[in-house]
Amino acid sequence: MLNFAVGPVQMAPEILQVGAQPVPYFRTGEFSALMKENERLLVEFAGAGEGSRAVCLTGSGTAGMEAMVVNFLDASDKVLVIDGGGFGHRFVELCRIHRIRTEVLQLHYGEILTEKHLEAYEGAGCTAFLVNLHETSTGVLYDARLIHSFCERNGMMLLVDSISSFLADPFSMEELGVDVMMTSSQKTLALPPGLAVLVLSARAVRKAERTDCGCMYLDLKLALKDGERGQTPFTPAVGILLQLHERLKELERKGVEAETAHIRMIAEDFRRRIVKLPFTLASTSMSNAATPVHPLHGSAKRIFEILKDEYEIWVCPNGGDLADEIFRVGHMGNLTIEDNTALLKALADMERRGLL
């Protein structure tokens, strides 16, 4: 199968080879050294400042989202959340479950965040801003500099889910005033699902260390303490952490900028060519990570099914009200221009067959 999903993405042979090895015992000095190097590189690649830390939780991206809520927000906070799609709405639900006072900035499908949207919340007493920087369900990338400026003016903590945009788009925690950045293993890190990664600024580290999060497994105090010796409080996804080390060392050799440039090249090539077929792009503000595609004829869900069943190509369907409206094409992972050509040829053949 040729994989254009937005996670899990197509993995490189070197990463698959590491995953095929026996999983070693991990309470050792060797594993601790590897974990410390993982943390150093994650902090570096996130553009975090001095005193920043990184932790890896065994769980999906939603585990990381919930860890952000329970470790950095409590009943004394009032958080502004952008609800612009399925994942923004998940943050709203998490805040409500944990009884965090929430102001919801509702955006319609495909709508771009503007200064005007934020005007209503100036001086509104919000203490934190919670955002999925790239709303993966709709393919909209929000303006990180606009959000940073707003948070700085209003003295707000900035918590960013960068699950699908980390490494795909230029990003620096320090430059953008981000207190916590979260990502997960199955996106641009191009690993199997199973790790949620949080990078904390020095201010966020101090806050996590004094917060009673009311949860054992997601308590970042424990993770930070054990991380000082290169370990984790509970049994981690050892095999994926070994793959993470291989991937981070590769990124160190080639450079994060080169990785971002490659993903951008793949994305731009696909977007330039897809509009020659009966499709439009479903957003005007896109991450390099993925392209939301709207078919001019037929069902997006049916297109996904035909590509999977008849052409052995995965794209990413949507759920809910968007199921028939858009599918998403990922540009992360071990993909090439030639892979784009294979997908576009399949879509052109579907048009020839009267399926589009």
Side-chain angles (χ1 to χ4, degrees):
M1 294 290 287
L2 184 56
N3 185 4
F4 287 92
V6 295
V9 303
Q10 193 151 289
M11 293 185 283
E14 297 80 8
I15 299 299
L16 292 169
Q17 186 175 13
V18 173
Q21 302 306 307
V23 176
Y25 182 64
F26 62 99
R27 301 297 191 196
T28 65
E30 291 82 0
F31 187 76
S32 292
L34 179 146
M35 287 291 286
K36 287 183 177 180
E37 189 163 36
N38 281 354
E39 180 175 6
R40 175 182 67 80
L41 291 170
L42 287 165
V43 167
E44 177 184 333
F45 297 163
E50 186 176 351
S52 297
R53 296 286 307 279
V55 298
C56 293
L57 301 175
T58 297
S60 70
T62 301
M65 293 171 72
E66 190 154 19
M68 291 173 77
V69 171
V70 299
N71 284 277
F72 300 105
L73 302 170
D74 58 33
S76 68
D77 287 296
K78 182 166 74 167
V79 60
L80 178 59
V81 184
I82 297 181
D83 185 350
F87 295 102
H89 191 68
R90 189 169 299 177
F91 264 141
V92 173
E93 292 178 318
L94 284 167
C95 288
R96 288 176 177 163
I97 287 169
H98 293 286
R99 296 177 173 82
I100 308 298
R101 289 185 298 157
T102 307
E103 292 280 353
V104 179
L105 197 170
Q106 189 74 53
L107 296 177
H108 299 296
Y109 153 64
E111 189 175 5
I112 298 169
L113 179 71
T114 66
E115 187 78 54
K116 190 163 185 63
H117 288 117
L118 296 173
E119 285 176 0
Y121 302 97
E122 291 281 358
C126 293
T127 57
F129 197 117
L130 197 53
V131 60
N132 315 85
L133 192 58
H134 176 224
E135 177 50 71
T136 321
S137 68
T138 63
V140 174
L141 180 69
Y142 299 130
D143 187 337
R145 296 194 179 279
L146 176 66
I147 294 170
H148 164 49
S149 178
F150 173 81
C151 289
E152 193 171 47
R153 289 196 306 273
N154 288 274
M156 299 165 66
M157 195 173 197
L158 179 52
L159 311 174
V160 173
D161 158 12
S162 189
I163 284 181
S164 54
S165 61
F166 178 59
L167 301 177
D169 304 299
F171 181 84
S172 166
M173 286 179 63
E174 193 166 29
E175 289 180 12
L176 296 169
V178 175
D179 292 287
V180 184
M181 186 282 292
M182 190 269 293
T183 190
S184 59
S185 53
Q186 78 275 19
K187 303 292 186 178
T188 308
L189 285 170
L191 307 173
L195 291 180
V197 177
L198 291 94
V199 182
L200 285 60
S201 70
R203 178 168 78 154
V205 170
R206 292 192 294 271
K207 186 171 178 65
E209 288 175 339
R210 64 175 185 265
T211 297
D212 179 8
C213 76
C215 177
M216 178 183 287
Y217 192 72
L218 299 178
D219 190 343
L220 295 185
K221 289 192 300 297
L222 302 179
L224 288 166
K225 182 178 180 182
D226 276 27
E228 291 174 2
R229 59 188 182 90
Q231 285 292 330
T232 58
F234 314 106
T235 302
V238 177
I240 304 176
L241 287 166
L242 295 175
Q243 290 174 301
L244 174 64
H245 185 256
E246 178 74 18
R247 175 69 166 135
L248 294 176
K249 295 299 288 182
E250 177 204 357
L251 288 167
E252 185 180 39
R253 290 191 296 271
K254 71 190 291 189
V256 168
E257 295 81 5
E259 177 74 8
T260 303
H262 174 76
I263 297 169
R264 182 175 62 247
M265 176 189 67
I266 298 292
E268 290 176 349
D269 173 76
F270 176 78
R271 290 166 188 170
R272 183 174 63 252
R273 297 160 71 187
I274 187 66
V275 293
K276 297 175 184 177
L277 293 168
F279 298 100
T280 60
L281 305 183
S283 173
T284 57
S285 176
M286 292 179 285
S287 165
N288 295 321
T291 301
V293 178
H294 171 65
L296 297 180
H297 314 290
S299 161
K301 183 177 181 181
R302 183 61 183 144
I303 291 169
F304 156 74
E305 291 170 345
I306 294 171
L307 284 171
K308 173 176 67 72
D309 296 338
E310 299 185 28
Y311 295 90
E312 296 190 331
I313 296 174
W314 281 320
V315 294
C316 208
N318 239 313
D321 295 339
L322 298 178
D324 289 320
E325 296 298 319
I326 66 171
F327 62 89
R328 294 158 294 158
V329 175
H331 310 300
M332 302 169 282
N334 190 38
L335 292 172
T336 65
I337 296 294
E338 289 73 25
D339 294 328
N340 279 353
T341 298
L343 172 57
L344 291 161
K345 281 184 176 179
L347 291 169
D349 188 57
M350 288 172 63
E351 181 185 26
R352 181 188 60 78
R353 295 168 59 197
L355 300 174
L356 297 180

